[in-house]
Amino acid sequence: MSQDSAPAAPTGEGPSPAAARLQLLGITKRYPGVLANDAVDLCVASGEIHAVLGENGAGKSTLMRIIYGAERADAGEMRWEGRTVSIPTPAAARRLGIGMVFQHFSLFETLTVTENIALVLDERFDRAALAERIDETSHRYGLPVDPRRTVHALSVGERQRVEVLRCLLQQPRLLILDEPTSVLTPQAVERLFATLRRLAEEGVSIVYISHKLEEIRALCHSATVMRGGRVTGTVDPRRETAEGLARLMIGRELPVPDRRPHAPGPVRLAVEALDVPSDDPYGVALRAVSFELRGGEILGIAGISGNGQRELVEALSGEAPVARAEAVRIDGRPVGRFGAGRRRDLGLAVVPEQRIGRGVVPELSLADNAVLTGHRKGLVRAGLVDPGRARSLAADVIARFDVRTRGPDAPARSLSGGNLQKFIVGREIVQSPAVAIVAQPTWGVDVAASAAIRQQLIDLAVAGVAVLLISEELEELFEVCDRLVVLAQGRLSPVRAVSETDIEEIGLWMAGLFPGGPGQRVGAAP
């Protein structure tokens, strides 16, 4: 749908109730010690792409869960196409025509993609026919995923694609999307936007949550801004700058990264001809991966999710030791056969892409989660955990990295996605690593928290730490990295200094179109 044919964007008042597909009036939700939503009003018209903006913890996710029936409001009224409704369950929401992609996924890891999607379909289906529908829909929307694969073998980005596809196959009348483009190249983002505009033109209402403000400006007709659980205003994002939107969200100017000059030091991490066969028939094998990372520099690895990032992090972190010890070296020492603990003893820190299950145990408190990788900081004595020291470390991370939570005793699952990410990144940084491997550090994190995390990575490099940043956020990579390389189908592209390339070239390389890459024809020009 072209912007010329878009519904008229509101300039502060939203669509009229008569035109509304969904209207929220005074929605309030309280948790112990937290007022998550405070008398929230929201109006989304038929055929409108409506953004909901705010920092992590602003109340966006709670509000979306109420719309989808995953939470019950304590007060307020919800109207669907003019009539007051109660949505007690997600199944009831789907029957109305509401689909949602959660920031934290709701997939069964032991089931295939097809089986997970089948669980939310009310109609009877043939498994082979459903797999064919999934395959066709995934390619039409630029979200490729193999319907036969089991979810436990998928990367975070691939799981996100499954969630989006599951919603699209339900043919929703209201589609709620939470950070839907974190797995896509710039070219694929444009294809997805074309699809969303076409859906809006056909009358589908879309509620779009993203921390990528340029996306909001390019796609959305209106935006409701939330802060501290309250609506602070509704604007036309096409008439705002990205800086202006950020200011509305956080109430202050967005900090600019401080790129202090720093000279690269000695090689801290060396990877030489690393081959890792896939233990999954649908996984990605790493082939002859080689690079060097020096102290004081940030090397960025770009790529579409599912091209070997998970396998690379497992091989480098020690979660999956490799056959040749010399394939991975830390400060010159062969560590390929070392496990994760021995590599951490040599100064390695790791931020995994999957927060829940890999980064933290959701049922444990933040203090207990600090022990998981921070026990070398004097948290364990004579084989016993010192609870006071664990709480002190967690409190230090909470204070230094502005983690919005009740305190060290709060369970990890009670934090918003962005605050949980700040805690995980902070837990690794306070351990003063020599080498830091950081995967998708700002995925689903608001603009202010993203800026803070990126500054922390820059500060690590300035302090002499070797930082390997694996990210699907091209703007992030260009903002903080010294050099860039692309991972496509398990192969690395040539290395480029950030000053010698651009987003368009890296976007093409993400499709494998680099010299010697899987998408480059033999003898073809680069």
Side-chain angles (χ1 to χ4, degrees):
M1 177 178 176
S2 69
Q3 288 197 359
D4 291 338
S5 59
T11 57
E13 298 180 356
S16 68
R21 171 153 287 153
L22 173 72
Q23 188 179 15
L24 306 182
L25 300 170
I27 295 296
T28 299
K29 178 66 178 179
R30 296 179 178 85
Y31 298 104
V34 178
L35 181 58
N37 291 150
D38 185 4
V40 172
D41 294 342
L42 178 69
C43 203
V44 183
S46 174
E48 179 187 22
I49 305 178
H50 191 114
V52 178
L53 298 177
E55 292 185 273
N56 293 116
K60 308 184 302 296
S61 295
T62 298
L63 190 67
M64 297 305 110
R65 289 197 299 268
I66 290 172
I67 296 171
Y68 191 59
E71 296 277 2
R72 298 296 298 271
D74 298 320
E77 181 182 359
M78 187 183 310
R79 295 178 183 172
W80 177 257
E81 297 181 339
R83 61 187 180 91
T84 300
V85 295
S86 173
I87 305 180
T89 64
R94 291 194 294 270
R95 284 193 294 271
L96 281 176
I98 301 173
M100 179 173 177
V101 177
F102 287 92
Q103 184 177 1
H104 291 147
F105 307 135
S106 53
L107 300 171
F108 291 94
E109 295 208 352
T110 57
L111 300 182
T112 66
V113 171
T114 300
E115 290 165 341
N116 268 281
I117 290 177
L119 290 173
V120 301
L121 299 180
D122 294 329
E123 74 227 41
R124 299 185 65 177
F125 66 93
D126 173 84
R127 182 175 300 189
L130 178 57
E132 187 174 334
R133 280 178 60 198
I134 294 169
D135 190 58
E136 187 274 331
T137 303
S138 71
H139 284 90
R140 182 180 356 133
Y141 292 152
L143 302 166
V145 67
D146 191 321
R148 299 167 295 174
R149 292 184 68 183
T150 50
V151 166
H152 73 81
L154 301 179
S155 68
V156 169
E158 290 171 307
R159 295 179 193 209
Q160 188 182 46
R161 296 179 210 170
V162 176
E163 292 275 16
V164 173
L165 288 167
R166 184 161 64 174
C167 276
L168 293 177
L169 285 166
Q170 296 170 54
Q171 299 181 322
R173 292 152 69 193
L174 173 69
L175 178 60
I176 303 171
L177 295 173
D178 195 347
E179 302 290 344
T181 63
S182 62
V183 302
L184 304 178
T185 66
Q187 295 85 354
V189 169
E190 287 302 317
R191 290 196 297 270
L192 177 63
F193 282 8
T195 297
L196 296 179
R197 292 182 181 115
R198 184 169 66 249
L199 288 170
E201 192 171 41
E202 294 168 355
V204 176
S205 303
I206 298 169
V207 176
Y208 193 89
I209 300 174
S210 176
H211 298 302
K212 299 180 181 180
L213 299 181
E214 291 297 345
E215 286 186 1
I216 300 297
R217 296 180 64 242
L219 179 68
C220 298
H221 308 134
S222 56
T224 292
V225 183
M226 296 185 67
R227 193 189 312 159
R230 297 181 178 181
V231 171
T232 59
T234 300
V235 299
D236 180 348
R238 296 167 296 186
R239 300 177 184 174
E240 301 284 341
T241 64
E243 293 76 16
L245 290 174
R247 192 162 49 247
L248 289 170
M249 288 170 53
I250 66 178
R252 62 185 187 278
E253 295 293 335
L254 193 64
V256 178
D258 178 13
R259 292 299 306 269
R260 286 165 285 168
H262 55 281
V267 174
R268 308 301 301 265
L269 174 66
V271 179
E272 182 181 356
L274 174 64
D275 289 311
V276 178
S278 175
D279 57 3
D280 184 289
Y282 307 111
V284 176
L286 300 178
R287 303 176 185 178
V289 170
S290 300
F291 62 87
E292 290 185 343
L293 175 61
R294 296 180 176 274
E297 78 163 340
I298 304 177
L299 174 64
I301 296 185
I304 304 170
S305 183
N307 274 268
Q309 292 94 328
R310 176 176 60 84
E311 291 82 358
L312 180 61
V313 171
E314 290 176 356
L316 298 182
S317 68
E319 184 176 346
V322 298
R324 285 195 314 115
E326 297 79 9
V328 182
R329 295 175 179 267
I330 295 177
D331 286 331
R333 183 171 183 177
V335 299
R337 294 178 183 171
F338 286 7
R342 291 187 69 184
R343 297 191 199 191
R344 281 185 172 273
D345 289 338
L346 294 174
L348 180 67
V350 180
V351 175
E353 70 168 353
Q354 190 173 336
R355 300 168 191 155
I356 302 296
R358 295 292 179 97
V360 296
V361 179
E363 292 79 14
L364 296 183
S365 69
L366 296 180
D368 289 339
N369 273 291
V371 177
L372 296 181
T373 67
H375 56 84
R376 294 168 180 79
K377 300 286 288 184
L379 306 189
V380 177
R381 294 184 174 184
L384 298 176
V385 174
D386 184 328
R389 287 177 176 266
R391 294 185 79 258
S392 178
L393 178 62
D396 181 39
V397 173
I398 290 168
R400 284 178 57 183
F401 297 91
D402 190 29
V403 180
R404 310 290 175 85
T405 180
R406 299 195 301 273
D409 296 323
R413 67 169 179 268
S414 68
L415 273 66
S416 68
N419 281 297
L420 189 58
Q421 187 72 346
K422 286 193 286 185
F423 178 81
I424 294 170
V425 172
R427 180 187 63 188
E428 300 304 302
I429 288 177
V430 298
Q431 297 179 51
S432 303
V435 179
I437 299 171
V438 185
Q440 317 300 347
T442 60
W443 184 69
V445 177
D446 66 58
V447 289
S450 293
I453 289 173
R454 291 167 184 169
Q455 185 62 58
Q456 289 150 11
L457 297 180
I458 293 171
D459 292 343
L460 278 180
V462 170
V465 178
V467 181
L468 183 68
L469 173 58
I470 301 171
S471 177
E472 291 152 23
E473 301 278 356
L474 290 186
E475 291 182 1
E476 173 172 84
L477 292 170
F478 276 88
E479 186 173 298
V480 306
C481 293
D482 302 294
R483 296 184 297 145
L484 288 178
V485 67
V486 172
L487 184 64
Q489 296 183 34
R491 299 179 183 178
L492 278 187
S493 74
V495 179
R496 286 279 194 268
V498 168
S499 60
E500 297 174 354
T501 186
D502 56 32
I503 285 179
E504 184 67 22
E505 179 181 45
I506 296 299
L508 291 173
W509 282 15
M510 287 167 68
L513 298 174
F514 53 81
Q520 182 72 49
R521 300 189 307 275
V522 175

